[in-house]
Amino acid sequence: MAILPPVWENSLLLLASFLLLLLGAEVFTNAVEWLGRRLGVSESATGSILAAVGTALPETMIPIIAVFGSGGGTKAAEEVGVGAILGAPFMLATIAMFLVGASVLYFGTRRTHGQEMHFNEKSTRRDLSFFLVGYTLAFLAALIPNDTISHGIGAVLVLLYLFYLYRSLKSGELVEGEDLDDLHLGLMIEGVIDRFPGRNTDSNHSGNPHSVLVAVQTLIALGLIIGGAQVFVSQTQWVSEEVLGIPTAIVALLIAPLATELPEKFNSIIWISRDKDTLALGNISGAMAFQGTLPVTFGILFTSWDLSLSWGTSGFLNGLSAILAIVSGGLLYLRARRINGKKMTARPFLVGGLFYLLFIAIVVYHVVVLDVGGIAGH
């Protein structure tokens, strides 16, 4: 006999999946930063590459679980995968950039630079250019009805990201991360040891952890992320089919990045308030370079990759999210090219919020008026 009504039970499971993904991302990022130190990777590479991949892991695992997990093989599961892949770059190029601009305006009175932005335009242009090239190729792959060409584009995207890493490391302009936090697992072990008399006070499991502890925490984090992704996939299908009657891909596109990508990007708000504009913007643009190349390759190779220009279809909504992300990123790229050492205001970043609202309005029109997803008969 069920303790809670099905609606409450599924809602709590969806919330639990969010918490697992967030916790897993935090634990994994903390572990992978220490892993980078143990492997002798530079601090800048650790902050901009390993940590970026760590924070992107949850939304990357969602499509993998959706396609290859226990519920894989169904149309709904595949739609979750496509939506999760498209959601991250769309959110980064719109809402995340909007938050950067809004934060500059909000904290203008306390910032040294006021309402002007001071950042490394060269590294920003590099990140955005790789995103624009990669994501445009990924969009074109959906419009070309030829598997050989699509798979070739997927291979190009992998090479493109590897070239991005090479260029970033060679330039020495990678955004540096802040000091490493203590290893979470080490802190837990020290907390347990402190409860017993005669404890070994010489051990530093958190500030100077053994490589074994780093590896164990990494495995624990992966387990949390995989578990959270598994629950998220099933509950996203429930929200789509039983609650909203909206195409599953759209639900995943809007919800997945809110649970996996957006919380991490709130760090950019903190950095903006501290005049760390390069760090704030690099936190987003570096993630865009990753999301516009590697995860989309998975979508091209292992899903239907349903992006189209056919009005009134869920594929059109997927394609529209990609187009808006490319346009928003393109506008920022062009503005960054024209500043030539001058100061940039927050206005170009606010455009992303308008694109996000436009997308929501078109989604509502498709669902309510055009009945995409069958909500009328729901």
Side-chain angles (χ1 to χ4, degrees):
M1 182 178 178
I3 300 177
L4 296 174
V7 173
W8 280 98
E9 182 178 335
N10 285 282
S11 299
L12 289 175
L13 284 173
L14 182 61
L15 177 61
S17 71
F18 287 168
L19 295 176
L20 282 174
L21 289 169
L22 285 172
L23 179 61
E26 167 62 25
V27 175
F28 184 86
T29 302
N30 176 252
V32 83
E33 288 176 343
W34 276 106
L35 179 63
R37 176 167 293 185
R38 289 291 173 262
L39 295 176
V41 180
S42 67
E43 181 181 0
S44 60
T46 298
S48 298
I49 299 176
L50 294 181
V53 172
T55 55
L57 188 62
E59 57 265 35
T60 306
M61 287 302 301
I62 288 172
I64 294 175
I65 294 296
V67 174
F68 296 123
S70 58
T74 65
K75 181 181 178 181
E78 187 174 278
E79 287 179 345
V80 172
V82 174
I85 292 171
L86 296 173
F90 174 62
M91 187 277 296
L92 289 168
T94 55
I95 289 297
M97 288 299 186
F98 171 82
L99 288 175
V100 167
S103 298
V104 171
L105 296 178
Y106 181 79
F107 295 111
T109 56
R110 73 170 68 172
R111 283 165 45 87
T112 303
H113 305 311
Q115 295 185 352
E116 294 180 340
M117 293 195 67
H118 291 237
F119 60 92
N120 189 327
E121 60 266 21
K122 185 176 180 180
S123 62
T124 300
R125 290 198 304 267
R126 181 189 63 240
D127 291 350
L128 291 177
S129 64
F130 275 93
F131 164 74
L132 292 171
V133 172
Y135 209 43
T136 301
L137 287 174
F139 179 74
L140 293 177
L143 305 181
I144 299 175
N146 186 298
D147 288 342
T148 302
I149 296 178
S150 297
H151 292 172
I153 290 177
V156 170
L157 291 175
V158 173
L159 294 175
L160 186 66
Y161 187 71
L162 293 177
F163 183 56
Y164 165 76
L165 295 182
Y166 168 76
R167 283 282 304 275
S168 299
L169 290 169
K170 185 177 180 180
S171 67
E173 296 169 352
L174 284 168
V175 179
E176 292 189 3
E178 296 186 322
D179 293 337
L180 270 65
D181 294 329
D182 289 343
L183 188 74
H184 297 331
L185 182 58
L187 287 173
M188 293 177 61
I189 293 175
E190 290 174 355
V192 172
I193 294 176
D194 287 343
R195 293 178 178 273
F196 295 93
R199 59 187 180 273
N200 182 8
T201 57
D202 295 332
S203 298
N204 188 355
H205 301 291
S206 58
N208 186 28
H210 193 279
S211 298
V212 173
L213 287 181
V214 176
V216 170
Q217 180 171 311
T218 303
L219 293 176
I220 292 174
L222 288 173
L224 292 172
I225 292 172
I226 292 173
Q230 184 73 55
V231 177
F232 178 86
V233 170
S234 62
Q235 297 312 306
T236 299
Q237 295 178 42
W238 168 75
V239 171
S240 170
E241 297 170 1
E242 303 297 331
V243 179
L244 300 177
I246 299 176
T248 313
I250 301 304
V251 175
L253 188 154
L254 295 174
I255 293 180
L258 294 179
T260 57
E261 188 77 52
L262 189 58
E264 172 66 22
K265 299 314 165 192
F266 273 100
N267 286 335
S268 293
I269 296 178
I270 297 173
W271 288 324
I272 286 290
S273 70
R274 299 174 180 174
D275 288 291
K276 297 181 179 181
D277 297 352
T278 295
L279 190 59
L281 191 55
N283 183 41
I284 298 173
S285 62
M288 289 173 67
F290 174 82
Q291 295 291 351
T293 50
L294 292 191
V296 295
T297 301
F298 179 86
I300 293 171
L301 297 180
F302 299 106
T303 74
S304 61
W305 201 229
D306 182 22
L307 289 75
S308 74
L309 300 177
S310 300
W311 175 263
T313 66
S314 60
F316 173 81
L317 296 176
N318 289 337
L320 178 63
S321 73
I323 292 172
L324 291 177
I326 292 170
V327 172
S328 182
L331 291 175
L332 289 174
Y333 172 78
L334 292 175
R335 186 68 185 89
R337 282 188 62 89
R338 291 200 298 265
I339 59 175
N340 293 325
K342 300 178 182 178
K343 312 301 183 294
M344 180 184 282
T345 64
R347 287 194 298 272
F349 295 90
L350 301 178
V351 176
L354 298 178
F355 285 144
Y356 190 85
L357 293 176
L358 174 63
F359 179 75
I360 295 298
I362 294 176
V363 168
V364 171
Y365 180 83
H366 271 64
V367 171
V368 176
V369 179
L370 302 181
D371 196 27
V372 174
I375 194 173
H378 181 64

